[in-house]
């Protein structure tokens, strides 16, 4: 069964304090929304047009669940705390785990 994934790649982090505030609030939205963080930071080797910055991957049981969590009031609060503290590429994708 396909799952939903949040994929975030941070181009720049200009305000680490805003990112820290966002992280605390985002967790309060993601976990109740059924999200499981699979990748959080770590080393990156970027190829082609890739960006060697912080990368986050969150898995949800469905694409719809991932979208609903992104649109939730709790996550909107996290986004407000983040505001202009980072520049990132954020997307929600549907996929089937290969394992």
């Amino acid at each position: 069964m396909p799952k939903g994934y949040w994929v975030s790649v941070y181009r720049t982090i200009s305000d680490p304090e805003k990112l820290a505030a966002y992280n605390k609030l985002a967790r309060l939205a993601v976990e109740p929304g059924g999200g499981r963080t699979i990748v959080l930071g770590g080393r990156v080797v970027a190829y082609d047009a890739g960006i060697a910055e912080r990368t986050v991957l969150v898995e949800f049981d469905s694409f719809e669940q991932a979208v609903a969590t992104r649109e939730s009031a709790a996550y909107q609060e996290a986004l407000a705390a983040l505001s202009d503290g980072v520049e990132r590429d954020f997307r929600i994708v549907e996929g089937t785990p290969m394992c």
Side-chain angles (χ1 to χ4, degrees):
M1 180 167 175
K3 296 186 181 272
Y5 296 90
W6 285 8
V7 182
S8 298
V9 178
Y10 290 71
R11 298 178 196 277
T12 60
I13 299 171
S14 57
D15 191 329
E17 290 180 11
K18 286 183 179 180
L19 179 58
Y22 161 83
N23 286 338
K24 288 179 185 175
L25 293 170
R27 183 174 294 117
L28 298 176
V30 169
E31 290 175 358
R36 296 169 298 283
T37 302
I38 297 173
V39 174
L40 179 60
R43 297 187 310 166
V44 176
V45 175
Y47 296 97
D48 302 323
I51 301 164
E53 275 291 346
R54 182 176 199 256
T55 301
V56 179
L57 178 64
V58 179
E59 180 183 66
F60 292 84
D61 289 334
S62 71
F63 180 80
E64 293 76 17
Q65 191 176 8
V67 171
T69 301
R70 169 63 173 79
E71 295 174 354
S72 71
Y75 191 72
Q76 296 308 305
E77 183 180 348
L79 287 176
L82 183 60
S83 65
D84 62 351
V86 303
E87 179 186 357
R88 68 181 181 161
D89 177 352
F90 179 94
R91 61 191 67 209
I92 299 173
V93 298
E94 183 178 57
T96 303
M98 302 303 290
C99 316

